[in-house]
Amino acid sequence: MLIYFLKVMFSDAANDNNIQEIQEKGEIKTIEAYVSGQVQGVGFRACARKIALGLSLTGEVMNLDDGRVYLVATGENVILEKFISSLYECPRAYLREISCNEITKKEFSDFTILRNI
């Protein structure tokens, strides 16, 4: 009985339907994140932009006066998760914490670095 159940649950047809359903939904969303640690003056914004562009995300990143970095990114949920986890790989930066939440969807044409005014 269990083997039959597993065959039905993991059959190629069932997997193809689930994959197609996920791809059709797309689940595009926008997140904002505040990154703390040693993230200013070490090329972190450029690294974040490079990762985002490599993952085909759009958004923006900027330094904050309190020493943190703020970023907004739009893309598929799974890709956004990959983006956030990849930020820890930026050389010379030391990330202490990433506070991340979903916000109202925003459209961007590119992923840009915003300069301090």
Side-chain angles (χ1 to χ4, degrees), residues 10 28-29 33 37-39 47 54-55 68 73 95 100 109-111:
F10 296 102
I28 304 295
K29 67 180 189 177
Q38 185 178 346
V39 292
C47 180
L55 295 171
R68 295 179 300 163
L95 281 64
C100 185
S109 60
D110 196 6
F111 197 94

Side-chain angles (χ1 to χ4, degrees), residues 55-107:
L55 295 171
S56 299
L57 295 175
T58 60
E60 55 193 24
V61 60
M62 66 182 280
N63 286 338
L64 297 175
D65 291 337
D66 63 4
R68 295 179 300 163
V69 169
Y70 173 77
L71 62 87
V72 180
T74 299
E76 291 182 33
N77 186 43
V78 173
I79 303 300
L80 289 168
E81 289 176 10
K82 172 72 174 167
F83 171 63
I84 293 298
S85 65
S86 295
L87 293 175
Y88 286 96
E89 299 171 11
C90 289
R92 300 185 324 154
Y94 170 73
L95 281 64
R96 186 174 341 139
E97 181 182 12
I98 299 177
S99 173
C100 185
N101 58 17
E102 185 174 352
I103 61 173
T104 304
K105 186 177 165 188
K106 293 184 178 182
E107 298 289 330

Side-chain angles (χ1 to χ4, degrees), residues 44-50 59-63 111-115:
F44 178 74
R45 290 178 302 163
C47 180
R49 181 178 187 271
K50 182 178 179 180
E60 55 193 24
V61 60
M62 66 182 280
N63 286 338
F111 197 94
T112 58
I113 297 173
L114 300 178
R115 308 286 179 203

